[in-house]
Amino acid sequence: MTQTTSPPDRESVADRLLNGSVKRSYAPVVDIDWDAPLEDGKYFLPPHVLSLYGTPLWDSMSEAQRIELSRQESANILSVGIWFENILNQALLRHLLHNDPGSLHTRYTLTEMGDECRHMAMFGRTIERMGAKPYRLRWYQAAAVNLLPKTFRGTMLWVAALIGEEIFDATQRRVVDDPQLQPLIARLMRIHVTEEARHIQFARAGVRRRIAGTHRIDRVWVGTAQGLGGLLLARLFTNPAMYKRAGLDPREARRQALANPHFRANQRRGFADLAAFLEETGLMRRPSRAMWRRAGFL
């Protein structure tokens, strides 16, 4: 169903989000107790959202192995977050070249970029603090990542932002209060959820505004290409390197993860709100729907 209501005025949206940023923003360097010890027996992601939860491999693991898997999956997701927010900031900088530097829209865009810079620092410091190592891009992945910001323009910029933000955000909201979670990770998630809520509102308003005045060809292109995000995320969420670091056979672990109904259900829950938004705005096309389904998000 295509969105028919009038799109929000971007200056009024930016004004509201700027006021929200003044009232509730964080500086992780002081808002997280980096000296607090990790708690023995706590997970770095709750067991029920881990990719291998409920599989034969999971049943064969000791509690210590399961906690180590949670450390590696958390470090992997935080590394992906750093990559994405780096890409988004580059794309937003290009976007600002074509906007009034004195507008409220520009001011909020710069505010969001500041948030994302603090998030990248927070993610990197958390990986170090929890005793893990970041996951690095291979040379061909780095080459692709350096090209992506140049392709995120117009409607695609805001849809890409939502793909990178909403799925992570939905999962964080479900698990942030889990008693099995390390306090360090719970605090990181609470900060991220609060600030990402504004970023998601900004991107959704951008999508609505763009599709109200864009050509049908652009809607078809964006509505088709955005499905690639599902295939990419499915690969990133089952990174063989994290299984290897956790002491598992990476091929067998990834095979079981991709076939795991618990993991698929978590993917679908994380994507549900964004899928509904893409359907509502007419940006879920048959090819993209097939790609999200193949990746396990539908």
Side-chain angles (χ1 to χ4, degrees):
M1 181 172 109
T2 302
Q3 177 69 21
T4 56
T5 58
S6 298
D9 174 70
R10 75 177 195 170
E11 288 295 275
S12 62
V13 169
D15 187 42
R16 175 167 51 81
L17 296 176
L18 281 167
N19 288 330
S21 297
V22 170
K23 293 174 183 176
R24 200 171 184 192
S25 288
Y26 295 91
V29 67
V30 295
D31 286 321
I32 292 179
D33 184 357
W34 297 105
D35 296 323
L38 299 175
E39 294 191 13
D40 291 339
K42 296 272 188 173
Y43 281 73
F44 297 88
L45 286 174
H48 63 89
V49 299
L50 296 175
S51 62
L52 291 175
Y53 178 77
T55 63
L57 195 52
W58 175 267
D59 293 339
S60 72
M61 296 167 68
S62 68
E63 184 71 359
Q65 288 175 314
R66 292 172 177 177
I67 290 174
E68 181 57 27
L69 175 64
S70 78
R71 187 198 319 269
Q72 297 305 330
E73 289 209 23
S74 182
N76 179 64
I77 288 174
L78 291 173
S79 296
V80 171
I82 292 170
W83 304 340
F84 172 76
E85 294 191 345
N86 186 308
I87 293 168
L88 178 60
N89 270 7
Q90 291 184 60
L92 288 174
L93 276 173
R94 291 176 179 275
H95 171 70
L96 288 183
L97 286 174
H98 309 286
N99 282 273
D100 176 2
S103 70
L104 293 173
H105 176 82
T106 294
R107 283 168 53 193
Y108 182 74
T109 302
L110 290 167
T111 299
E112 177 169 330
M113 289 171 60
D115 291 343
E116 303 293 25
C117 286
R118 288 188 294 275
H119 294 170
M120 285 188 278
M122 177 174 68
F123 293 170
R125 190 167 181 179
T126 299
I127 292 170
E128 185 275 333
R129 183 67 189 85
M130 66 189 197
K133 293 181 179 179
Y135 288 82
R136 314 302 280 270
L137 293 165
R138 297 183 180 182
W139 69 266
Y140 58 88
Q141 294 172 323
V145 162
N146 282 323
L147 289 174
L148 281 177
K150 299 176 182 178
T151 67
F152 290 169
R153 298 179 180 179
T155 310
M156 183 61 81
L157 168 60
W158 305 115
V159 171
L162 290 173
I163 290 171
E165 292 170 343
E166 287 216 33
I167 296 172
F168 291 99
D169 184 72
T171 300
Q172 288 178 129
R173 288 177 183 274
R174 291 205 321 273
V175 307
V176 66
D177 294 319
D178 193 298
Q180 297 183 86
L181 194 60
Q182 285 282 353
L184 169 67
I185 304 300
R187 182 59 175 162
L188 175 150
M189 287 183 176
R190 196 163 297 284
I191 290 172
H192 199 237
V193 162
T194 300
E195 297 186 335
E196 285 296 286
R198 294 191 293 268
H199 302 176
I200 289 169
Q201 291 178 54
F202 192 53
R204 283 196 171 208
V207 170
R208 294 187 190 281
R209 187 172 59 251
R210 290 286 309 185
I211 63 171
T214 194
H215 194 279
R216 181 178 179 276
I217 293 176
D218 183 58
R219 293 196 298 273
V220 171
W221 150 245
V222 174
T224 300
Q226 54 86 3
L228 294 170
L231 300 177
L232 176 61
L233 288 177
R235 173 68 185 182
L236 294 174
F237 288 169
T238 57
N239 183 356
M242 68 186 185
Y243 301 125
K244 185 175 182 179
R245 289 189 190 180
L248 303 171
D249 179 333
R251 276 192 163 192
E252 179 59 19
R254 185 168 188 270
R255 186 192 69 78
Q256 291 194 25
L258 290 174
N260 183 6
H262 294 285
F263 179 53
R264 294 269 178 161
N266 283 325
Q267 287 181 297
R268 291 193 296 271
R269 280 193 289 269
F271 184 55
D273 286 348
L274 177 55
F277 178 75
L278 293 172
E279 292 281 5
E280 173 197 340
T281 53
L283 292 175
M284 183 70 84
R285 316 291 294 191
R286 184 178 298 175
S288 57
R289 191 179 293 110
M291 285 186 274
W292 284 108
R293 185 173 292 111
R294 179 180 177 186
F297 290 91
L298 286 174

